[in-house]
DNA sequence: GCTTTGACCTTTA
DNA sequence: CTAAAGGCCAAAG
């Protein structure tokens, strides 16, 4: 959209970063997404690492990075937040339920961007 | 300008 | 079955 060569690049740190933020911000409250799903939407199915890395550079107060968890639903980047419990508390505040293992119920809160066909 | 690391996932041994 | 390495792209040293 628009013309990127018009010299409009102002707050755009990087298209990749913004792309991740958009997808994460697209996730409603009470829902959680996974790095793999986001990466897949970006076309970087095998490069899910960069998704998490992008979140590390993202501001947790600006981007709901707490809604992003790993494949197992475990809060891998919780230590990157203000406190180790911050991520969990925020998700609980959103209405997300946790298992006894401290993992998020992906079956209940996993936000799917599109119908993923498997097999 | 090259090397290392990074909140991961997938495949091969 | 479990364990290890590879892969991907990008930023910081």
């Amino acid at each position: 959209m628009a013309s990127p060569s018009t010299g409009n690049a102002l707050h755009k740190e990087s298209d990749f970063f913004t792309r991740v933020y958009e997808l994460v911000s697209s996730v409603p409250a009470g829902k959680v997404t996974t790095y793999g799903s986001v990466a897949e939407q970006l076309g970087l199915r095998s490069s899910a690492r960069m998704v998490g890395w992008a979140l590390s550079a993202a501001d947790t107060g600006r981007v709901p990075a707490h809604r992003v968890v790993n494949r197992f639903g475990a809060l891998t980047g919780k230590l990157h937040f203000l406190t180790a419990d911050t991520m969990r508390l925020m998700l609980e505040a959103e209405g997300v339920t946790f298992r006894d293992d401290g993992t998020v119920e992906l079956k209940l809160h996993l936000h799917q961007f599109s119908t993923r066909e498997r097999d």
Side-chain angles (χ1 to χ4, degrees), chain A residues 45-114:
Chain A
R45 172 196 56 188
S46 10
S47 303
R49 322 172 64 184
M50 323 204 53
V51 180
W53 189 93
L55 291 173
S56 67
D59 292 347
T60 55
R62 206 164 65 180
V63 181
H66 57 271
R67 294 181 194 160
V68 186
V69 295
N70 68 343
R71 221 359 138 184
F72 299 93
L75 313 179
T76 40
K78 65 179 184 181
L79 297 172
H80 288 252
F81 281 83
L82 306 175
T83 57
D85 292 321
T86 302
M87 194 170 183
R88 167 115 178 220
L89 293 172
M90 285 201 288
L91 287 170
E92 286 185 324
E94 297 282 329
V96 178
T97 53
F98 282 76
R99 291 191 83 176
D100 187 45
D101 296 336
T103 50
V104 185
E105 280 285 292
L106 295 176
K107 296 169 123 20
L108 304 176
H109 305 289
L110 177 58
H111 176 76
Q112 300 171 337
F113 295 101
S114 80

Side-chain angles (χ1 to χ4, degrees), chain A residues 19-63:
Chain A
R19 205 65 58 97
V20 178
Y21 304 152
E22 289 294 317
L23 282 168
V24 175
S25 301
S26 179
V27 179
K31 293 279 188 173
V32 291
T33 186
T34 63
Y35 301 95
S37 298
V38 176
E40 186 175 358
Q41 292 302 322
L42 297 176
L44 308 173
R45 172 196 56 188
S46 10
S47 303
R49 322 172 64 184
M50 323 204 53
V51 180
W53 189 93
L55 291 173
S56 67
D59 292 347
T60 55
R62 206 164 65 180
V63 181

